[in-house]
Amino acid sequence: MKDFLAQPETPQGSAFFEELLWVHSRLRKDLATVRRLAEECREGRPAEELQDEIASLEANSPLWRLKIGCLHYCHFVHSHHTAEDMMLFPRLRIANPELNPVIDKLEADHKEVADLLRKIEATAQALTGSDSDAARERLSGELDSLGDHLLAHLDYEEKNLEPSLRRIERL
C-alpha cells in the first residue's frame, strides 16, 4: 500500500473519485427524499399535500409514487454496487492488495444492501391496492434500515478508497 500510495494522484483517478462522490451524493439525496416520503405516507399525510413534492413521478396516488420511486431507487443502488463489484474492486485489489480487507467489507455491505433492497421492493410491491397503516409502517422501517446502513457504507467507502482511487490510471 505504501508503494502504491507513494505514487502521485492521476487525473483519471481523481476524476473517477469525483464521479464516485457525485454518484454517492445523488444516492444520499434520493434516499433522503424516499425516506421523507415514506414517513409522510406512514403518518397519513393527505395526497394533495404530497403531489407537488413528487411531481417528477407520474401517477395519481402518492402511495403509488412512493412505490415507483422506491423501486427505481433500489434498481439504481443495485446497479451501482454491481458495477463496483465487477469493475472497480478487482482493479483496486490488484493495484493495492492492502485494501483487500476494506473491499471484503464493502462487498459484504453490498450483499446486505441487496437483501434490504429486495425486502423494500417486496414491501413496495405489496403497497399496490393496500393503504394500510401496517404496510406504511413496514416500508418506513425498512427504508430507515436501508438508510442507516447505506449512509454508513458510503462514508466508509469514500474514506477508505479515496487515496487509492485517486492514484489509479484507468479501470
Side-chain angles (χ1 to χ4, degrees):
M1 182 169 176
K2 291 177 185 172
D3 291 339
F4 182 73
L5 293 180
Q7 297 175 23
E9 291 185 13
T10 65
Q12 299 91 341
S14 292
F16 183 80
F17 185 72
E18 294 303 318
E19 182 178 340
L20 181 73
L21 290 177
W22 179 83
V23 170
H24 284 186
S25 74
R26 299 301 311 160
L27 289 170
R28 286 180 176 102
K29 181 180 182 283
D30 290 348
L31 180 60
T33 299
V34 170
R35 287 175 85 174
R36 180 179 52 78
L37 289 172
E39 182 65 25
E40 290 173 2
C41 280
R42 185 179 76 177
E43 292 173 354
R45 187 170 177 193
E48 307 81 53
E49 294 179 19
L50 294 170
Q51 287 176 350
D52 290 340
E53 296 182 52
I54 48 183
S56 64
L57 299 172
E58 293 184 327
N60 294 325
S61 163
L63 205 55
W64 187 87
R65 290 179 189 181
L66 174 63
K67 173 187 161 186
I68 297 304
C70 285
L71 295 177
H72 176 74
Y73 182 75
C74 291
H75 177 73
F76 179 78
V77 170
H78 180 70
S79 296
H80 171 68
H81 283 170
T82 298
E84 286 180 339
D85 290 346
M86 295 178 67
M87 296 183 296
L88 175 62
F89 292 164
R91 176 68 176 103
L92 283 173
R93 286 182 189 278
I94 292 167
N96 188 355
E98 290 188 30
L99 278 178
N100 284 340
V102 169
I103 294 171
D104 291 343
K105 180 188 177 341
L106 292 172
E107 288 175 336
D109 284 352
H110 287 180
K111 289 179 179 138
E112 187 172 343
V113 167
D115 290 342
L116 290 168
L117 292 173
R118 278 191 287 280
K119 286 171 119 177
I120 289 169
E121 288 171 355
T123 302
Q125 290 289 355
L127 287 176
T128 302
S130 171
D131 192 15
S132 72
D133 290 342
R136 290 172 183 244
E137 185 67 35
R138 189 169 48 254
L139 180 59
S140 183
E142 289 170 0
L143 287 168
D144 284 341
S145 293
L146 173 66
D148 294 343
H149 186 78
L150 192 53
L151 292 173
H153 168 79
L154 297 175
D155 291 342
Y156 179 83
E157 183 175 80
E158 292 166 5
K159 176 184 172 191
N160 287 283
L161 296 186
E162 179 178 11
S164 294
L165 279 177
R166 288 190 178 277
R167 285 160 177 80
I168 285 197
E169 291 186 34
R170 67 183 187 285
L171 293 179

